[in-house]
Every structure is written in C-alpha cells, then in structure tokens.
Amino acid sequence: MNLVRTFSDARASYKGTVALVPTMGFFHEGHLALMTAAQNSADTVVVSHFVNPLQFDNPADLERYPRDVERDMTIAEEAKVDVLFAPTSVEMIPQTPLTAVTVDGLTDTMEGVMRPGHFAGVATIVTKLFAGLQPHLAFFGRKDAQQLAVIRRLVLDLSFPVRVLAHPTVRESDGLALSSRNTLLTSEERLAARELSQGLFAAVTAVEAGERNGPRLESIVRGALHSSRPDYGELASQDRVERLSELDRPSFLAVAARVGKVRLIDNIAFDLAAGEVVADRGLRLKHPSLLYR
Ligand code: PAF
C-alpha cells in the first residue's frame, strides 16, 4: 500500500481505472465494504482519510471525532488498499477557503436544517477530492442518504466525470448502523442507540403490511425513541430529498437522535422494483465490529 500525503503523489501511483472511497477515518466494516466494492470495480483503489473541519458545525463534535491513523493504516494495509491518501491540513485546505460548493434545495431538510453549513463543507471537500484525485468511480455508503443525494447532484451540476456508486449500510449484529461515533457511547447509551434501527425496522414491517402513509411511517420511527432525543424522523425522496406524504417513489425513511452527547443518524432506503417497494435493510455483522478492536 502506498501512503501518500499529496494529490500529485496519489495520482502518480495510479494504474488503470481508479475508484475513490472518501472517508474521515476510524475504519469499520462499512468502510471495508466500500473498499471491497471499489476493488471489484477498478484497477486502483484510493481511500482518502481526512477529518474535514469544514463539515462540522460544532467544534466539540470535531474535537471528539475518533481518530487513529496508525490503526487505520494497518486496517487499510490488511484490506489491500492500493493508495491511502492521508493529506495534511495544508494540502487539503491551503488557506481559509473563499470558495464553497453549495447544493441548494436538497439541503433544506433534515441534516441541512440540524447542521447549518454541514453540506457546504461536505460538498466543498468532496469537490476538492474529485478535482485533486480524479477518480473514475467513487463509493459512498447509503447510511448518509442525504449526503449521497447531494453528491450525486453536485456531480451532475458540475459535470464531474465520476460515477457515484452507493453501498448498503453495514450494521452491528443488533441492527445499530456502523459509525465511528458508536465508539463514543457508554454501555448504557449503546443499548439506547438500538432504538434508531428498531424504529426503522418497525416501519419496514408496516410497509410490508401495506402502509404507505408518510406521517404514519414517521410516527412509528419517532415512537421507538424513548431514551434517545429525536431530532427528526422523516420520509423523503431519494433524489430531491423532499418530504413525502406517501411512499410512492424511491425514498428513504431517516432518523436522527441524540444519545447522551452523541448524535446518530440512520435510514432505510425504499426502492421500487416492478412496482413493488423493496426496503434496503443493509447488511448485518455476525461478529463484534472492528470498531472496538
Ligand atoms: O461520509 C463521510 O465520511 C464524509 O462526509 C466525507 C464524504 C468523507 C466527506 O468528508
């Protein structure tokens, strides 16, 4: 594996087609699944590793965000990643940026409301990664469904020659979506955190029984939050991230809640196949996550 710190060193180490997996590090099986999908689709896999300060609206959240580059280098090496791009802050953000990428409309709900400036930070850094690393493909997790919509739209609007591919959410064995933030939960909070996925799975059961009403599905999700403090539970369209009164198109049911000091998000995507609604429940680990290794 090549560990590189600059865009030009990353590009100099490519052979053939290039797939990018953008990350903020502290790898877990969700990242590994993206790396494997990337390896199956391109000759060179480059994983970016940068905790992007531009996307944190809360300095305490940025400070707390888990970091361990040595650990991540070992995991990336074991995963046979070709290039680990771990830029210095100066490489990524040479000066206080005077340019920002904002994606309107799609960011007027959910995370866009709860975390002002978050998506401009994501869109700006992903634009820099696309411009500097010039991948043919880029892989993102479906756990960040609104982020995925924002990135797909920025690729379309800015004509980036990048194909964006999404991968199902990877979950711990009890259903909790993998997130580096799970490591910040106390054991009591870790139990409470299950409420997010429990509410989503209860809503999937209702969908399978024929429920299509948006507000009723949202209230099932919110009704499962007892120990966690809800920020939102919303059904939205996958492409425009517009709140839906009926589940009648590709959509996602999203939840965000605070468990202690930790804010968690999760969602279930609903796709339509031959007129049927198909829920993407994600993939479940059968063993403890490497998050706790
Ligand atoms: O999903 C993430 O980890 C981040 O938002 C991303 C896409 C790497 C941008 O910093």
Side-chain angles (χ1 to χ4, degrees), residues 222-285:
R222 284 198 294 264
L225 304 174
H226 304 293
S227 314
S228 42
R229 299 186 308 287
D231 273 352
Y232 59 77
E234 280 187 34
L235 180 72
S237 58
Q238 283 181 26
D239 53 355
R240 301 202 57 87
V241 198
E242 278 165 347
R243 197 164 185 180
L244 297 178
S245 54
E246 283 294 307
L247 198 180
D248 57 1
R249 68 199 81 174
S251 52
F252 63 99
L253 188 55
V255 61
R258 287 163 207 268
V259 187
K261 288 201 175 80
V262 185
R263 187 169 179 281
L264 298 173
I265 62 169
D266 196 357
N267 75 86
I268 296 273
F270 296 104
D271 300 301
L272 298 185
E276 296 290 312
V277 176
V278 182
D280 178 356
R281 294 179 164 77
L283 308 169
R284 263 191 214 219
L285 296 180

Side-chain angles (χ1 to χ4, degrees), residues 110-221:
M110 298 188 274
E111 293 304 285
V113 175
M114 301 310 301
R115 303 181 67 189
H118 167 68
F119 283 122
V122 170
T124 302
I125 220 74
V126 169
T127 298
K128 287 167 77 79
L129 289 170
F130 287 172
L133 295 172
Q134 300 175 7
H136 301 95
L137 309 173
F139 287 80
F140 294 86
R142 268 191 134 174
K143 171 166 171 282
D144 295 294
Q146 193 172 11
Q147 168 174 286
L148 182 63
V150 166
I151 290 163
R152 285 193 192 285
R153 187 62 198 227
L154 89 79
V155 164
L156 180 78
D157 288 349
L158 301 182
S159 305
F160 273 112
V162 181
R163 201 166 141 224
V164 172
L165 293 144
H167 192 278
T169 300
V170 184
R171 302 179 175 281
E172 298 199 33
S173 54
D174 62 0
L176 177 66
L178 281 170
S179 162
S180 311
R181 289 191 164 88
N182 297 356
T183 57
L184 303 173
L185 298 165
T186 63
S187 45
E188 202 178 322
E189 290 165 355
R190 173 64 188 76
L191 289 176
R194 292 178 306 179
E195 293 175 353
L196 282 83
S197 58
Q198 283 168 346
L200 291 171
F201 287 118
V204 171
T205 305
V207 168
E208 285 171 348
E211 182 63 85
R212 296 287 182 273
N213 180 273
R216 281 201 291 273
L217 292 170
E218 292 171 355
S219 72
I220 294 174
V221 173

Side-chain angles (χ1 to χ4, degrees), residues 40-100:
N40 291 336
S41 317
D43 302 312
T44 300
V45 172
V46 53
V47 174
S48 65
H49 185 292
F50 181 67
V51 180
N52 170 25
L54 304 178
Q55 70 188 74
F56 286 81
D57 54 318
N58 173 350
D61 190 26
L62 174 60
E63 178 79 19
R64 268 198 306 266
Y65 198 84
R67 295 170 173 87
D68 189 340
V69 181
E70 297 295 315
R71 169 192 179 276
D72 287 347
M73 275 168 54
T74 308
I75 293 172
E77 187 97 55
E78 284 169 9
K80 302 195 178 355
V81 163
D82 301 300
V83 184
L84 185 66
F85 171 63
T88 57
S89 312
V90 174
E91 177 73 4
M92 265 328 263
I93 309 174
Q95 292 183 22
T96 304
L98 300 178
T99 306

